Amino acid sequence: MIRIMKFSEVAADEIFARVTPEVNVEEIVSGIIANVRQNGDRALLQYTEKFDGVRLSTLRVTEDEMKEAIAYTEPEFLRILERAAENIRKFHTAQVRRSFIINDEEGVVMGQKVIPVDRAGLYVPGGTAAYPSTVLMDAIPAKIAGVREVVMVTPPMKNGKVNPAILAAASVAGIDKIYKVGGAQAIAALAYGTESIGKVDKIVGPGNAFVAEAKKQVFGQVSIDMIAGPSEILIVSDENSDPRHLAADLLSQAEHDRLASAVLVCNSEELAERVRDEIELQLSSLEREEIARASVDNNGKIIVTDSLMKAIDVANEIAPEHLELCVDNPFDYLDRIRHAGSVFLGRNCPEALGDYLAGPNHTLPTMGSARFSSPLSVDDFTKKTQYTYFTADALRKVARDVEYFAKKEGLTAHARSAVIRLEDQK
């Protein structure tokens, strides 16, 4: 049963604390990456058989498999995928940055080019659940950014095929290549390349602890979006919210993973007790009851504060992945929120709306990293190159200043490279 606590009884850094298994993930992942680098596709096929229980002859999803998946998918789901994709495109198109040029001083031109990466790799989880929503959220910003080739990796099902819903989403999003491989081995393949899978410039997408650790270890060889931990939700509520709605929203994250964290911070002890009872009532109706119960019992909390302002302070201190403001006049509090991955305003905006249909991205910073990082966006798939042009006359005006500055740093060759041109001009 979820715990009810007074704010004074728990430190902020313990609010999203988790009960985690003691496994040497770092060492295991390091070995997997080394094996993939050495043995390529052979290692990928061996790990797929070992971890997924599937013996494959090839890794790439064929055109026939794509057509079969589309034919298998319900028309209503295809319609919803298209609607979600439209909303995601609309939101992320507004994020596109433009190159710029500055030419307000005679003889000087400066500028910045915004350039998409050449190849992006998307990791889409497959383990305890399939996530076609992640396909849309990760691929569409890459396509908007102008990435030349978008590659997806995802674990196969027991029949050796990829979940049809994932392939349908990949078709809607316009993904170029899809491979049946998951786990740390998939990340290694994207980072270093194998006979079948070309190496990419950027890897994005959530995964389990092994996937997160693999992304951490290959960073530098490639760019990554973030080191994502288990899902988390923080709900800040006043006393006027419906306890059924709050319980449902908490459980929507708890069912993701046994390590997920669902936390309510409210200013009413009576509401806290009613939400606790509702959670118990609703748990029994969930298909993933066992997972959700483990999450709630081990990592869930209801924290009672003296005021809403104190609850807002708690939210800023722990920087949650998802933050719901279930309060009257939620926009009055929005400017006070400084650290959160994605904010859901009001009593009619469940976090699940953001997972699937609203448009803002659902790949979000976790474990307090919203203090310094952002949701996945078009920016994640671009890089910037700057350029500078000076005429001889323009250089003459600043060369002595460059020389002086360089000598202050003891770099006489720097200094000479500027003033030597003055000698040539004479």
Side-chain angles (χ1 to χ4, degrees), residues 21-259:
E22 294 183 4
V23 178
N24 193 337
V25 174
E26 182 178 351
E27 183 177 336
I28 294 171
V29 168
S30 178
I32 290 173
I33 292 174
N35 189 13
V36 172
R37 292 186 68 181
Q38 181 175 350
N39 297 302
D41 283 357
R42 184 158 63 91
L44 298 181
L45 293 169
Q46 288 172 347
Y47 284 129
T48 301
E49 184 173 358
K50 177 180 179 180
F51 296 132
D52 301 305
V54 180
R55 178 175 291 184
L56 300 175
S57 56
T58 59
L59 295 166
R60 185 164 176 188
V61 172
T62 66
E63 286 296 324
D64 287 343
E65 287 176 301
M66 289 294 291
K67 291 176 183 177
E68 181 185 358
I70 297 299
Y72 182 85
T73 304
E74 307 95 317
E76 178 68 2
F77 184 54
L78 287 173
R79 180 191 69 78
I80 294 171
L81 283 174
E82 292 286 1
R83 181 178 183 183
E86 180 182 353
N87 291 341
I88 295 166
R89 288 190 186 100
K90 183 189 303 182
F91 182 85
H92 289 80
T93 297
Q95 297 176 338
V96 174
R97 294 180 184 266
R98 307 297 179 187
S99 300
F100 65 80
I101 186 169
I102 299 172
N103 187 18
D104 56 3
E105 186 176 343
E106 186 177 355
V108 178
V109 180
M110 296 176 287
Q112 178 176 277
K113 294 170 59 180
V114 179
I115 308 167
V117 301
D118 288 338
R119 300 185 79 243
L122 317 181
Y123 186 89
V124 177
T128 56
Y131 297 106
S133 57
T134 296
V135 179
L136 301 182
M137 293 290 181
D138 289 357
I140 290 174
K143 287 292 184 177
I144 291 172
V147 176
R148 292 180 185 177
E149 186 174 69
V150 179
V151 177
M152 184 178 86
V153 292
T154 189
M157 300 186 297
K158 296 299 182 184
N159 62 3
K161 298 181 180 181
V162 173
N163 187 293
I166 288 180
L167 293 184
S171 177
V172 169
I175 288 174
D176 300 297
K177 295 177 181 177
I178 305 169
Y179 297 94
K180 306 173 193 177
V181 59
Q185 60 272 24
I187 301 300
L190 291 174
Y192 295 100
T194 69
E195 297 91 333
S196 297
I197 303 175
K199 63 182 180 180
V200 302
D201 304 303
K202 180 97 181 195
I203 299 174
V204 306
N208 62 19
F210 295 92
V211 170
E213 176 62 28
K215 288 169 69 176
K216 180 180 178 182
Q217 290 191 24
V218 302
F219 176 67
Q221 170 69 23
V222 293
S223 176
I224 63 171
D225 51 351
M226 62 189 78
I227 307 295
S231 188
E232 55 195 44
I233 185 171
L234 177 71
I235 302 177
V236 171
S237 177
D238 60 23
E239 67 276 10
N240 298 321
S241 294
D242 188 323
R244 296 176 305 138
H245 299 171
L246 298 180
D249 292 359
L250 291 168
L251 290 173
S252 74
Q253 293 307 295
E255 72 174 350
H256 266 301
D257 189 327
R258 286 176 169 81
L259 297 179

Side-chain angles (χ1 to χ4, degrees), residues 265-280:
V265 183
C266 63
N267 61 347
S268 166
E269 193 160 347
E270 179 186 355
L271 178 65
E273 292 172 355
R274 293 176 66 191
V275 170
R276 178 188 58 195
D277 294 343
E278 270 296 328
I279 288 173
E280 290 300 309

Side-chain angles (χ1 to χ4, degrees), residues 7 19 76 88 102 124 127 130 219 249 325 347 361 387 420:
F7 175 68
V19 177
E76 178 68 2
I88 295 166
I102 299 172
V124 177
F219 176 67
D249 292 359
L325 291 180
R347 306 187 206 280
N361 211 283
Y387 57 88
I420 198 171

Side-chain angles (χ1 to χ4, degrees), residues 400 416 418-426:
R400 293 299 178 187
R416 183 180 296 116
V419 297
I420 198 171
R421 286 171 169 76
L422 299 184
E423 298 170 4
D424 292 344
Q425 290 172 22
K426 291 178 182 177

